[in-house]
Amino acid sequence: MSGFARDPKYYGDRLVYEPLDSKWSRYHAQHCGCGENWLEAHALPAGFTMIPRGRTGYYGLVGPRLTEGVDEEALTANALWEAVTGKPGTQTWYESVRVTCRSPEAEAARKAANDEHYGRIREESAKRKAAAQTDPLSPAQLRYLASLAEKAGQKRFDAEYAAAVQGTDIEPRRPRERSMTAVKRLTKAAATKLITALAAV
């Protein structure tokens, strides 16, 4: 989200305003509507300067009445609003400054927190995948497969079923066995694989 920030790694000792491009594009479209890019057509000509945040694609803006010549205890984006929309800013609340510490200790703590967060996500994903290999197919999968099997025809169903259970402990379809009887042996993972194959055009 947009906001004021200090980040010594990217901006040195400067206070910047980091705009969310989608938000400011929306403001510009609603209140100006000239069809041009809000940054190039309005913000930069108004005296604001863009400072890239490394190679991330994000950036900060600096300029008069936004980050220069302002009271940091009373920050608003009114100056940028006026430049982009052509209308006086009406922001009456003050914004705080987000300060990012880039010391080795802070970076290590951030990395550890990220590793823990994404580690939990990977672990939960692995558990779900493992469960899908053994959990029986759901009632919704069974109903959908009944519909797909009827549309696909016996020959295609047999081929896709064989491919879906290949390499698993699921017994292949027996001769003269009804399609839905064979389907009921599938796990969630195998059912998903069979559904994907049968639903493909």
Side-chain angles (χ1 to χ4, degrees):
M1 58 183 296
S2 297
F4 290 89
R6 284 189 182 278
D7 189 332
K9 179 177 180 180
Y10 296 117
Y11 308 126
D13 61 354
R14 303 185 77 171
L15 170 68
V16 305
Y17 180 79
E18 293 183 321
L20 181 62
D21 190 74
S22 60
K23 182 172 79 171
W24 282 93
S25 292
R26 185 172 68 253
Y27 291 159
H28 176 237
Q30 290 174 345
H31 298 280
C32 175
C34 70
E36 298 186 55
N37 178 275
W38 69 271
L39 179 65
E40 297 174 353
H42 300 289
L44 299 183
F48 297 107
T49 301
M50 182 177 70
I51 304 178
R53 198 173 81 184
R55 298 182 180 179
T56 62
Y58 295 97
Y59 57 89
L61 290 176
V62 296
R65 297 190 298 125
L66 181 67
T67 63
E68 299 170 356
V70 293
D71 178 0
E72 289 197 26
E73 299 299 318
L75 294 171
T76 73
N78 282 335
L80 183 60
W81 177 273
E82 185 173 345
V84 171
T85 68
K87 301 175 182 179
T90 58
Q91 184 177 342
T92 57
W93 67 94
Y94 298 141
E95 299 189 27
S96 59
V97 178
R98 183 176 63 254
V99 179
T100 303
C101 178
R102 298 289 180 177
S103 68
E105 295 79 10
E107 292 284 80
R110 256 193 304 276
K111 184 179 184 304
N114 285 339
D115 289 346
E116 180 183 0
H117 173 72
Y118 290 108
R120 285 198 306 270
I121 293 176
R122 287 192 294 269
E123 183 178 347
E124 291 168 3
S125 176
K127 287 179 180 178
R128 287 194 297 271
K129 288 180 180 178
Q133 300 299 323
T134 56
D135 286 353
L137 79 168
S138 68
Q141 286 179 312
L142 180 61
R143 290 192 297 271
Y144 192 31
L145 278 170
S147 172
L148 290 175
E150 185 177 350
K151 295 176 182 178
Q154 197 64 61
K155 185 175 181 180
R156 184 183 175 201
F157 177 85
D158 286 347
E160 300 295 2
Y161 184 93
V165 302
Q166 186 175 15
T168 71
D169 295 331
I170 302 170
E171 183 182 351
R173 186 180 179 199
R174 308 182 193 102
R176 294 184 297 279
E177 182 179 32
R178 294 181 60 191
S179 298
M180 287 302 98
T181 301
V183 162
K184 290 177 182 178
R185 292 198 298 274
L186 297 177
T187 61
K188 282 185 177 179
T192 298
K193 185 175 181 180
L194 180 56
I195 287 171
T196 300
L198 291 175
V201 177

